[in-house]
Amino acid sequence: MAEATRRLPGVQPLGGYHEWLARDEAYAGQMALRDRLVAERRGDVIAAMPGSEAAVTELYDEVLYFLGGRDGFGWSETGCMRPDGVEVRLDETDPLGTLARLVQQDLCVLEKPEGASEHVLTAAILCFPASWTLAEKIGRPLSVIHDPVAPYTDRMAARVQRLFDHLRGDTPLWRQNALIYADPALYQPRTLASPREERTEGGFLRSERQTLLRLLETKAIVFSIHTYVVPLAALAREQRAGLASVERAG
């Protein structure tokens, strides 16, 4: 694993399974938006390829198992009361639609077809796209998914694929990125024909906490994305306050 991740910036083992799907103070607001997107734009934010059913079912069971041990969730035979007081019906016939309304994270399922050289995106919940669209990526292999990303060279693609091939079920991984955005909206799809311009200036920091978890039965890999958007002015104020307190302590 060390060799596979050696030149992949920021990738490291997760502190433990209990850290897989985090919940933060933005939960209620983000979940309200997810509810609307699932109701009004389901075809844009949820997709699954034929043949992905087993992996999606295992993901559904895995997430419910994980949430079963989390504070704030109330359970009945047919539903789950979220921490924000909204009840979600547990529907095994609509696993992705159900999960989209329970957790803040977007969830992408990647599987490696027999004889293939790369993992393929076979199913996904993508309510908070950061300048990409699910319709253009579903059913595509890793190298095609990352094709517009400048640092994603052939060598990088090979290292990422080795990481996926050797990811252990008992060692989930995580990384975090950071981008400058002018628009704080969480739902920001973009097509390949209209790519986002790289920014060094803007009012908001958009950051994704990304995790990789291998499902034990189907061996599919779940790529989860927890999105944070913070005004840069607020970060600057916090930084100044921190420096001031250090100076006072000194």
Side-chain angles (χ1 to χ4, degrees):
M1 182 60 67
E3 176 61 25
T5 63
R6 186 154 52 97
R7 293 186 181 178
L8 299 178
V11 176
Q12 55 189 306
L14 198 63
Y17 177 74
H18 65 282
E19 296 183 4
W20 177 36
L21 301 176
R23 187 176 88 241
D24 61 29
E25 65 277 4
Y27 182 86
Q30 289 196 0
M31 296 314 297
L33 176 55
R34 295 175 78 84
D35 289 344
R36 291 197 299 273
L37 289 169
V38 171
E40 299 171 7
R41 307 188 66 101
R42 182 188 173 97
D44 296 323
V45 300
I46 295 176
M49 298 290 294
S52 66
E53 293 84 1
V56 168
T57 296
E58 187 177 5
L59 172 62
Y60 178 77
D61 293 339
E62 189 74 29
V63 173
L64 293 190
Y65 171 79
F66 180 89
L67 295 181
R70 305 302 103 179
D71 292 337
F73 290 89
W75 302 90
S76 68
E77 290 185 2
T78 59
C80 174
M81 184 69 73
R82 296 190 321 214
D84 61 350
V86 175
E87 186 170 13
V88 176
R89 186 170 71 92
L90 301 179
D91 187 355
E92 294 182 354
T93 68
D94 183 20
L96 295 178
T98 302
L99 296 183
R101 300 189 58 222
L102 288 175
V103 297
Q104 286 176 264
Q105 288 76 14
D106 285 327
L107 301 169
C108 299
V109 177
L110 295 113
E111 301 179 80
K112 192 175 186 182
E114 185 174 355
S117 60
E118 294 183 87
H119 279 72
V120 172
L121 180 64
T122 59
I125 303 161
L126 186 69
C127 292
F128 302 155
S131 303
W132 58 291
T133 61
L134 183 53
E136 290 184 336
K137 305 298 184 180
I138 192 72
R140 305 295 197 271
L142 279 170
S143 60
V144 176
I145 290 171
H146 290 94
D147 185 53
V149 181
Y152 204 84
T153 62
D154 289 344
R155 293 184 63 186
M156 178 66 75
R159 289 194 290 270
V160 171
Q161 186 55 56
R162 285 199 298 273
L163 183 151
F164 274 57
D165 287 340
H166 296 287
L167 181 65
R168 291 168 38 181
D170 61 350
T171 311
L173 303 175
W174 78 284
R175 70 181 294 270
Q176 191 135 356
N177 66 10
L179 294 169
I180 303 299
Y181 269 68
D183 185 348
L186 288 163
Y187 181 68
Q188 292 204 46
R190 277 187 174 274
T191 65
L192 292 171
S194 180
R196 171 183 176 274
E197 295 182 2
E198 292 296 325
R199 285 184 173 274
T200 57
E201 297 181 356
F204 300 90
L205 176 70
R206 182 175 179 132
S207 179
E208 294 177 341
R209 178 184 183 266
Q210 305 167 347
T211 70
L212 291 170
L213 176 77
R214 184 182 293 281
L215 299 175
L216 297 181
E217 293 184 13
T218 60
K219 307 304 180 185
I221 290 178
V222 181
F223 178 69
S224 75
I225 309 165
H226 188 135
T227 302
Y228 307 83
V229 178
V230 182
L232 287 172
L235 290 177
R237 286 195 299 270
E238 290 181 8
Q239 186 177 40
R240 288 195 297 269
L243 290 173
S245 71
V246 168
E247 290 172 357
R248 287 195 299 271

